[in-house]
């Protein structure tokens, strides 16, 4: 029998960055569970940031407008998608295909 999933909640938006809704796609990098030990938290957040950085550089090299997204506050991706809360926190993001190409794509 399939397990019932709680109703979806929406993610809080990035602070003061309503332009993200106009992006063609958004890459979300998430960290580890909230109850992880400090070394795991640091490691997962650094790896997530590095992955977003590589995606940003790759997008720009291919001529795609891309813009980092910051200031995620209490963005619990897992809970928003109906999973247990406190497990999948959004820690970095990258908007692809933004309307801010003149600011972001300098190649």
């Amino acid at each position: 029998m399939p397990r019932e999933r709680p109703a979806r909640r929406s993610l809080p938006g990035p602070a003061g960055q309503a332009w993200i809704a106009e992006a063609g796609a958004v890459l979300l990098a998430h960290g580890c569970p909230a109850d992880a030990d400090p070394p795991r938290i640091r490691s997962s957040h650094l790896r997530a940031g590095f992955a977003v950085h590589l995606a940003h550089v790759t997008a720009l090299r291919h001529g795609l407008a891309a813009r980092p997204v910051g200031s995620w506050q209490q963005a619990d991706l897992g809970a928003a998608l109906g999973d247990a809360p406190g497990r999948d926190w959004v820690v970095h993001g990258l908007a692809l295909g933004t309307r801010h190409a003149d600011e972001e794509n300098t190649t």
Side-chain angles (χ1 to χ4, degrees), residues 5-42:
R5 297 184 93 149
R8 288 185 178 192
R9 295 183 306 152
S10 61
L11 281 173
Q17 298 182 35
W19 59 266
I20 196 170
E22 298 175 358
V26 179
L27 170 70
L28 298 176
H30 62 91
C32 58
D35 59 356
D37 61 6
R40 182 171 176 209
I41 292 171
R42 281 191 298 275

Side-chain angles (χ1 to χ4, degrees), residues 1-8 77-79 81-85 87-88:
M1 176 178 213
R3 88 181 158 136
E4 280 190 38
R5 297 184 93 149
R8 288 185 178 192
L77 180 62
L81 297 175
D83 288 332
R87 310 305 297 165
D88 291 311

Side-chain angles (χ1 to χ4, degrees), residues 65-67 98-107:
R67 185 173 186 171
T98 69
R99 294 182 184 225
H100 303 279
D102 55 328
E103 299 171 13
E104 302 305 321
N105 191 353
T106 57
T107 61

